[in-house]
Amino acid sequence: MNGLKLLATGRCLPKTAVSNEEMSRWVDTSDEWIASRTGIRQRYFCGEGETALTLAAGAARQALARSGIDPAGLGCVLCATVSPDYATPSLACLVQAELGLPEDIPVLDVNAACSGFLYAVAAARGFLAQSGRHYALVIGVEVLSRLMDMTDRSTCVLFGDGAGAAVFEAVPNAPFASLQGARGGKAILANGPGPLAPRLTMDGRAVFRFAVEAIPRCIDGILTQTHLTLNDIDWVVCHQANERILDHCIKKLHAPAEKFYKNMARYGNTSAASIPIALDEMNEQGLLKPGQTLLCVGFGGGLTWAAALFTL
Ligand code: COA
């Protein structure tokens, strides 16, 4: 099967950034508490007129324009999200209609929470192999503010809204590896749209323990599959849940900290959107260069985990 190369990225954030200081006016918390435990300084929350669709379409438009491809050549459109606007139509279908994307291709949402973007990348590769088409549009988008209890300080300070998108090309012999896994449980639980009030709950300590075990296991898994070492990897882009989780893993792996990109300070935890937002920020900063090898790792609700190695 062909490997995938990352061609282009885009991102779209709500207009309103909310600082830790502002959060401390809503709930009993402080910038010091949030920043020291998570590394988060601000997040974005959707306001009037901003939806999962407006964010996803904004990020997708940007990624497609930068890729230079004709959108008619897309082989699939995947949207990783746990907070779509509707149960059906899927967010991916709404994006397809909004952007006038092809009809004779798979268009679907993927729910694997914070691992969703990487689950979707692997699924996209499979869809391209099936059809022989060359390009995939993979979006990660969340409007977690609509699922959160804004009076629960143990969760509402952690998460944010946003979207990132990526266009991948199937290329013969391009290096590629991926893995996915799940351990069903309710350590992170969110009521979707329906009769129950929106509410996201989390056993923070259990999730912390899970994450610091899952990330090194994912990295080791990909390195074993590819017979590579961290020296061969230019960037490790992990799901941006929490700076302490990443620092813990870097220490455990004796890994070079400068290879691990971090931006949770600016966005909080945007679940499925966090990896593509990070990729787009890195692109914008000129950190991503042709020929580089990236190793991405997701972990979170489900519980799920996933990793992917691809090149630029
Ligand atoms: N501001 C101030 N105090 C808060 C708070 C907030 N926003 N949220 C919780 N607290 C309080 C708690 O009520 C508790 O008070 P108590 O001791 O009086 O009961 C105290 O802080 C300590 O809570 P605890 O849960 O022990 O804190 P912690 O050091 O474990 O940090 C997390 C909590 C959530 C930051 C940490 O468990 C974590 O990072 N978990 C992983 C979460 C995550 O990243 N999830 C997403 C993965 S995809």
Side-chain angles (χ1 to χ4, degrees):
M1 213 194 288
N2 292 339
L4 293 185
K5 270 182 104 150
L6 179 63
L7 279 192
T9 57
R11 73 181 188 277
C12 183
L13 280 306
K15 283 192 285 292
T16 311
V18 180
S19 67
N20 288 349
E21 187 62 37
E22 285 169 272
M23 293 301 298
S24 73
R25 281 182 230 141
W26 302 352
V27 288
D28 183 12
T29 190
S30 64
D31 177 49
E32 195 282 322
W33 193 96
I34 302 169
S36 65
R37 281 174 178 74
T38 69
I40 296 166
R41 294 276 181 184
Q42 66 161 32
R43 72 289 293 140
Y44 292 83
F45 288 149
C46 281
E48 190 83 13
E50 292 174 318
T51 64
L53 175 60
T54 64
L55 297 181
R61 259 194 209 99
Q62 207 174 48
L64 283 168
R66 289 173 177 166
S67 74
I69 70 158
D70 177 354
L74 282 174
C76 58
V77 178
L78 277 83
C79 217
T81 184
V82 297
S83 48
D85 293 333
Y86 307 101
T88 192
S90 70
L91 192 54
C93 282
L94 297 179
V95 170
Q96 179 209 37
E98 179 80 13
L99 271 61
L101 302 177
E103 293 188 353
D104 57 340
I105 58 169
V107 174
L108 77 160
D109 287 357
V110 172
N111 178 338
C114 312
S115 316
F117 180 76
L118 298 178
Y119 263 74
V121 169
R125 181 171 177 240
F127 282 129
L128 295 185
Q130 170 192 279
S131 64
R133 287 181 177 245
H134 297 295
Y135 303 108
L137 172 62
V138 185
I139 304 164
V141 56
E142 301 292 3
V143 185
L144 297 173
S145 59
R146 307 241 157 94
L147 300 182
M148 288 194 298
D149 174 351
M150 288 297 186
T151 65
D152 176 7
R153 68 176 180 174
S154 70
T155 52
C156 73
V157 301
L158 302 176
F159 299 95
D161 302 341
V167 177
F168 288 93
E169 179 178 10
V171 177
N173 304 319
F176 186 88
S178 69
L179 60 81
Q180 305 81 32
R183 187 184 303 150
K186 295 182 178 173
I188 305 175
L189 180 68
N191 297 334
L196 300 171
R199 184 162 161 79
L200 193 157
T201 57
M202 181 175 64
D203 179 345
R205 288 187 177 179
V207 173
F208 195 101
R209 283 196 301 275
F210 158 70
V212 297
E213 175 266 323
I215 297 170
R217 187 160 42 76
C218 283
I219 292 177
D220 283 344
I222 292 289
L223 294 178
T224 305
Q225 262 190 55
T226 53
H227 307 292
L228 297 176
T229 72
L230 276 178
N231 291 334
D232 304 306
I233 308 295
D234 294 288
W235 289 104
V236 181
V237 185
C238 292
H239 166 51
Q240 303 287 309
N242 181 316
E243 188 165 25
R244 275 199 317 166
I245 290 177
L246 293 196
D247 288 345
H248 205 284
C249 294
I250 290 166
K251 217 179 208 174
K252 197 165 164 181
L253 287 161
H254 304 290
E258 66 280 5
K259 287 194 179 184
F260 285 66
Y261 189 75
K262 290 180 190 167
N263 70 359
M264 67 287 283
R266 294 183 285 286
Y267 303 98
N269 178 344
T270 57
S271 191
S274 87
I275 291 175
I277 288 174
L279 293 174
D280 188 58
E281 227 187 22
M282 293 169 77
N283 242 337
E284 192 177 76
Q285 292 170 16
L287 299 176
L288 300 186
K289 301 195 171 68
Q292 284 182 338
T293 302
L294 268 59
L295 201 174
C296 299
V297 182
F299 54 92
L303 298 169
T304 57
W305 57 90
L309 176 143
F310 50 83
T311 54
L312 297 165

